[in-house]
Amino acid sequence: METAFTRLVGVRCPIVQTGMGWVAGPRLVSAVANAGALGVLASATMTVDGLREAIREVKSRTDAPFGVNLRADARDAGDRVRVMVDEGVRVASFALAPSRELIAELKESGVVVIPSVGARRHAEKVVAWGADAVLVQGGEGGGHTGEVATTVLLPQVVDAVDVPVVAAGGFFDGRGLVAALAYGAAGVAMGTRFLLTSDSTVPDAVKARYLAATVRDVTVTRAVDGLPHRMLRTELVESLERSGRVRALSRAVRHAARFRRLSGLGWGEMVREGLALRHGKDLSWSQVLLAANTPMLLRSAMVDGRTDLGVMAAGQVAGVIEDLPSCAELVERLLDEARAAVGALPVSGGSGVA
């Protein structure tokens, strides 16, 4: 299924697996790439050396193109870009808008730049700076999210920019792919759907928790880090929402200490990162600490399998997903469903669309 996006990045299918921290590792990314879609490594939870190792592992498993997701505000973003360029990574994606200079550096090295955006004006800005495509996430998407639904946000962005647009937030089957293409997108991106595959390294107990969820079990909360965050409603989330400031601060300090040991960051670095996150936002200090070490909360669930101690980012589609196919099975299923959906459209006659 060829689109402007598949031509841009060199994949067979207009489908992207998003860069989910602790989830989008070499095994999942290579499985997605081998299935013909674009797999994206999540680098924010890796050291620079760990990123290089992960890239090389993906390359040992597949010859297909893949990408790396970067934090544009990371102090070592330049080092990570150099690793990507040295290792021949085809695509760079960003959760936050990269600077004009970072986009230029990547493009000069032949890397395709695809920032994620949550508003029309953000898309216009990064495209003016040279972005090759944009990924548009509506409010249905997991993790940090906005308030505007994909069906409203997507056509705004498609009408505003002249580069391929990838739609994210609320996609899990071939009907959604066709709908996105009808809106003018050149593909779809999915996180939760790829998390819930047999190729995902997420522990079985965590996958079972996702599969048991209904759409009412997926919530948006500010209790974790002060920003709107879509995730499964768990005991931890409910506890954070009930906690007073003293109890929340104590919990945050404990999590911060664990993240410090894991990441190797000094307390000074964590405080500076927390201050940067607090700037311009009405966050309590407990939220600042939690925001600085949210990766630790994700790791507790996604790596350690502790659904009681971790958070589980989830798109609303978690409430309608019921199985764990392989990535190859999932991609082929989506393409078959898309073809069937197109074939079933009433394109002429009767009360159908002419």
Side-chain angles (χ1 to χ4, degrees):
M1 185 177 288
E2 184 176 303
T3 70
F5 175 76
T6 63
R7 292 190 292 271
L8 176 67
V9 300
V11 295
R12 182 172 61 90
C13 311
I15 299 169
V16 179
Q17 161 256 305
T18 59
M20 301 165 281
W22 305 115
V23 176
R27 191 173 94 178
L28 179 62
V29 170
S30 58
V32 172
N34 284 326
L38 183 70
V40 179
L41 274 172
S43 77
T45 51
M46 302 175 184
T47 63
V48 174
D49 289 340
L51 173 59
R52 188 183 296 276
E53 292 173 6
I55 290 171
R56 290 179 176 178
E57 183 176 346
V58 174
K59 291 169 67 176
S60 74
R61 292 169 175 258
T62 183
D63 294 324
F66 64 95
V68 169
N69 182 261
L70 300 167
R71 273 188 56 178
D73 61 339
R75 290 183 177 82
D76 59 0
D79 295 334
R80 293 170 185 270
V81 166
R82 283 187 285 275
V83 167
M84 290 177 58
V85 172
D86 290 346
E87 297 296 332
V89 175
R90 181 68 182 271
V91 177
S93 71
F94 293 87
L96 299 173
S99 65
R100 185 196 301 266
E101 293 73 23
L102 199 56
I103 292 175
E105 181 179 354
L106 286 160
K107 288 175 65 69
E108 286 172 7
S109 300
V111 180
V112 175
V113 180
I114 308 178
S116 297
V117 299
R120 172 177 176 163
R121 67 182 184 279
H122 298 156
E124 292 171 333
K125 179 175 71 174
V126 294
V127 169
W129 288 351
D132 298 290
V134 291
L135 188 152
V136 179
Q137 179 174 307
E140 300 94 324
H144 290 117
T145 191
E147 298 178 349
V148 182
T150 304
T151 50
V152 176
L153 179 59
L154 176 60
Q156 292 183 49
V157 175
V158 167
D159 290 345
V161 301
D162 59 357
V163 299
V165 175
V166 177
F171 297 101
F172 67 100
D173 65 4
R175 294 171 299 178
L177 173 57
V178 172
L181 296 177
Y183 271 112
V188 297
M190 304 183 299
T192 306
R193 178 63 276 193
F194 279 111
L195 184 156
L196 294 173
T197 60
S198 60
D199 295 302
S200 164
T201 58
V202 171
D204 290 343
V206 177
K207 290 180 182 178
R209 186 71 178 261
Y210 276 97
L211 293 176
T214 70
V215 291
R216 293 182 178 275
D217 296 319
V218 184
T219 187
V220 175
T221 182
R222 291 178 178 268
V224 172
D225 57 14
L227 303 173
H229 205 148
R230 187 177 292 283
M231 58 184 63
L232 291 189
R233 176 166 290 283
T234 63
E235 296 86 348
L236 174 63
V237 172
E238 292 178 346
S239 176
L240 289 172
E241 290 179 338
R242 293 193 305 266
S243 293
R245 284 182 177 270
V246 173
R247 184 179 174 190
L249 182 59
S250 174
R251 185 195 298 269
V253 169
R254 292 197 304 273
H255 282 296
R258 291 178 62 203
F259 182 54
R260 176 177 173 273
R261 290 193 297 270
L262 179 71
S263 66
L265 292 175
W267 282 108
E269 292 175 285
M270 290 189 66
V271 169
R272 284 193 295 273
E273 182 162 338
L275 287 170
L277 288 163
R278 193 172 193 256
H279 180 68
K281 303 179 180 70
D282 184 22
L283 304 185
S284 68
W285 280 109
S286 61
Q287 289 171 328
V288 166
L289 280 171
L290 282 170
N293 70 96
T294 295
M296 193 69 235
L297 296 175
L298 288 166
R299 186 184 190 279
S300 292
M302 300 305 165
V303 177
D304 300 334
R306 294 299 302 269
T307 59
D308 56 331
L309 297 178
V311 297
M312 291 176 280
Q316 284 185 308
V317 297
V320 295
I321 295 174
E322 299 177 341
D323 61 351
L324 298 170
S326 69
C327 290
E329 292 167 340
L330 176 61
V331 170
E332 288 307 314
R333 179 200 300 176
L334 261 67
L335 295 179
D336 288 343
E337 290 171 345
R339 297 184 188 102
V342 171
L345 289 174
V347 294
S348 64
S351 60
V353 179

